[in-house]
Amino acid sequence: QHPTAHINSSRKMKSSLDRARVSDAALRSNEFLLGSFLAGTSSGLISSLVTHPLDVIITRIQADHTKYRISQHTNIFLEFIGISKKIDISNLFAGVVPSSVGSTVSYGVYFLVYNYCKEIYHFRKEDLANANQTAHIDYIACIVSSSIAGVVSTLISQPIWMIKTRLQLQDASCIKYNGVSHCFWDIVHREGLFALFKGTVPSLFLVSGVSIHFTVYEDLKARLEAANGGQGMTATQTCAAAAA
């Protein structure tokens, strides 16, 4: 066979292998991002349903401190019990639908965008082949990724949180809502479409806290995985890193 033909054949084979590798990497990336979105939505839904009564009580205290506070020197646990007795049980789940939807959307979008940005910035540079089995974290890329994810999820979910808060506070207001759709259209009719985005600016400032949290989490995750020989974190370690 002519040398030129052999070289061309080798180049074609190499090109085919490269395309196959790229296709396989893209497939794994899409599967990973889909898994991130589903993990975020499920965790957001579960956490919202479990903690919603506490969220209602906290919102009531913030909205009308004098009405719901029991005393100036009571135990915080007893205070929560006292407030819950003052509020009808059904009202403890006021706004549970938009709250659940908001958490589901917010967490899902956040984890999707966050992990997508990590892949773009090649955020995590692992080198488990060396003796120490360390994982190096690009802190700047981590902060940028979490900040972008926080901004995107906040802008998307802010109208949902606005509706949720209005439903939670409706018994202290002269306006009574029949549900999520009624609340939505009433706000738009009375205050305009942009009223759904009230509080967006303060919410965007809170993104910085989430960015710090995720940076610390990723650092602890890398250290714990390295300590485990690159085998990943246990459930206990995951909870501990997330709580930190």
Side-chain angles (χ1 to χ4, degrees):
Q1 187 178 9
H2 195 276
T4 303
H6 178 72
I7 292 173
N8 291 335
S9 178
S10 298
R11 288 177 176 174
K12 288 180 180 179
M13 183 178 296
K14 184 177 183 299
S15 177
S16 298
L17 290 174
D18 289 341
R19 285 196 298 268
R21 292 193 189 98
V22 171
S23 178
D24 184 57
L27 179 62
R28 290 198 303 269
S29 175
N30 291 336
E31 290 176 348
F32 172 69
L33 292 176
L34 177 60
S36 299
F37 177 76
L38 294 177
T41 54
S42 58
S43 62
L45 176 61
I46 294 172
S47 63
S48 175
L49 293 175
V50 171
T51 62
H52 187 76
L54 293 178
D55 183 50
V56 171
I57 293 175
I58 291 172
T59 302
R60 298 294 180 89
I61 295 175
Q62 292 173 337
D64 193 347
H65 185 274
T66 58
K67 178 179 178 181
Y68 292 104
R69 187 168 179 81
I70 307 303
S71 73
Q72 296 294 326
H73 306 287
T74 187
N75 179 280
I76 188 65
F77 179 71
L78 296 177
E79 183 164 334
F80 269 104
I81 294 177
I83 294 172
S84 63
K85 289 180 178 179
K86 286 188 173 185
I87 302 174
D88 186 83
I89 295 299
S90 61
N91 288 337
L92 286 175
F93 290 92
V96 67
V97 173
S99 178
S100 300
V101 173
S103 293
T104 300
V105 172
S106 180
Y107 279 70
V109 170
Y110 187 95
F111 278 94
L112 175 64
V113 176
Y114 177 66
N115 285 301
Y116 178 74
C117 290
K118 285 201 301 183
E119 291 195 352
I120 291 178
Y121 289 106
H122 302 288
F123 151 81
R124 190 168 184 192
K125 300 175 181 178
E126 295 184 351
D127 182 15
L128 298 179
N130 59 30
N132 295 324
Q133 290 187 316
T134 56
H136 304 286
I137 299 298
D138 187 338
Y139 295 102
I140 299 300
C142 180
I143 292 174
V144 170
S145 298
S146 56
S147 297
I148 293 174
V151 170
V152 173
S153 63
T154 296
L155 293 177
I156 291 176
S157 62
Q158 186 63 29
I160 303 175
W161 299 127
M162 175 67 171
I163 293 173
K164 185 264 296 185
T165 302
R166 289 292 181 90
L167 289 173
Q168 289 179 338
L169 297 176
Q170 64 177 319
D171 67 334
S173 171
C174 59
I175 302 175
K176 302 300 179 182
Y177 301 111
N178 296 325
V180 175
S181 60
H182 179 214
C183 181
F184 172 82
W185 289 113
D186 185 80
I187 293 173
V188 173
H189 177 72
R190 291 174 180 268
E191 306 172 49
L193 183 62
F194 288 102
L196 293 170
F197 292 90
K198 286 182 177 179
T200 299
V201 174
S203 296
L204 291 175
F205 279 110
L206 295 176
V207 169
S208 60
V210 180
S211 300
I212 295 172
H213 176 84
F214 267 78
T215 302
V216 173
Y217 168 78
E218 292 290 356
D219 182 73
L220 292 174
K221 178 182 177 182
R223 294 175 186 275
L224 290 171
E225 287 182 347
N228 294 340
Q231 298 300 315
M233 295 189 296
T234 64
T236 303
Q237 289 176 331
T238 302
C239 291

